[in-house]
Amino acid sequence: MSISVVARILPRQIGRGDLPVGRKVSDEAALAKTLGVPESVVRRALCELDAAGVLTTGPRAVRVVARRDQWRISAARPTRRSRAVARSIRRMIYDRALSPGELLSPGDIAKRVTIRCDRRDISDALIELAASGLASPQAKPAGFVARQPQRWQSQL
């Protein structure tokens, strides 16, 4: 699960402008630490994205973000409902209704949000939150973990 999730997070970060075209992608260790997943997962996800044309390998084996017209996959855009679910989860994290380190499983999220949604909307919302740094994918138990917002870290 984690490899495909990481492979979906990076194109979202590119679409959000967090990783502009032509920018060097962080090394595997830094990216793994940022996303909260093992380096092996990041390495395999980067290989998938390289094969899909999202990344290109430049001199000295440096991976950079490719132009969108070179991609051989479509960048999934979040639906209106998945964006609404992401806003609701984000609000729960900032209001401290969800604690940093708390498991965010799709079933639990479905019970907590008041928006009519299906598992795909929740999954897309969690990927969006992972792309923004508010959640990290987790393999066992499967799901995501809430992360501490930057705003809180600056207050500590």
Side-chain angles (χ1 to χ4, degrees):
M1 171 198 130
S2 293
I3 296 167
S4 64
V5 168
V6 172
R8 288 176 58 196
I9 290 171
L10 292 175
R12 287 271 175 93
Q13 288 179 330
I14 294 166
R16 291 166 43 102
D18 297 341
L19 290 171
V21 172
R23 183 173 178 195
K24 176 185 167 189
V25 176
S26 300
D27 65 357
E28 293 167 1
L31 201 52
K33 185 177 180 183
T34 301
L35 295 175
V37 296
E39 282 184 51
S40 60
V41 171
V42 170
R43 187 176 307 114
R44 291 175 61 187
L46 290 176
C47 287
E48 281 184 21
L49 293 172
D50 207 358
V54 175
L55 304 174
T56 59
T57 305
R60 298 184 186 158
V62 173
R63 288 188 173 109
V64 295
V65 177
R67 293 188 329 263
R68 278 247 167 116
D69 61 351
Q70 295 176 328
W71 293 16
R72 291 182 291 283
I73 61 169
S74 63
R77 290 220 153 116
T79 64
R80 183 178 305 174
R81 269 192 289 185
S82 68
R83 286 193 309 266
V85 171
R87 277 193 305 274
S88 181
I89 298 168
R90 189 176 288 114
R91 195 173 314 113
M92 285 189 275
I93 291 171
Y94 279 106
D95 291 346
R96 299 182 187 201
L98 290 171
S99 305
E102 187 172 341
L103 181 67
L104 306 174
S105 66
D108 183 43
I109 295 299
K111 293 175 191 172
R112 289 182 174 212
V113 297
T114 58
I115 302 157
R116 291 192 78 167
C117 58
D118 58 21
R119 290 180 87 71
R120 184 177 188 151
D121 294 326
I122 295 170
S123 175
D124 285 346
L126 291 170
I127 297 239
E128 183 63 29
L129 290 173
S132 69
L134 285 176
S136 292
Q138 181 173 318
K140 292 182 183 177
F144 288 76
V145 174
R147 295 183 75 183
Q148 186 173 7
Q150 294 292 331
R151 166 175 92 177
W152 290 357
Q153 291 176 352
S154 64
Q155 293 175 354
L156 295 178

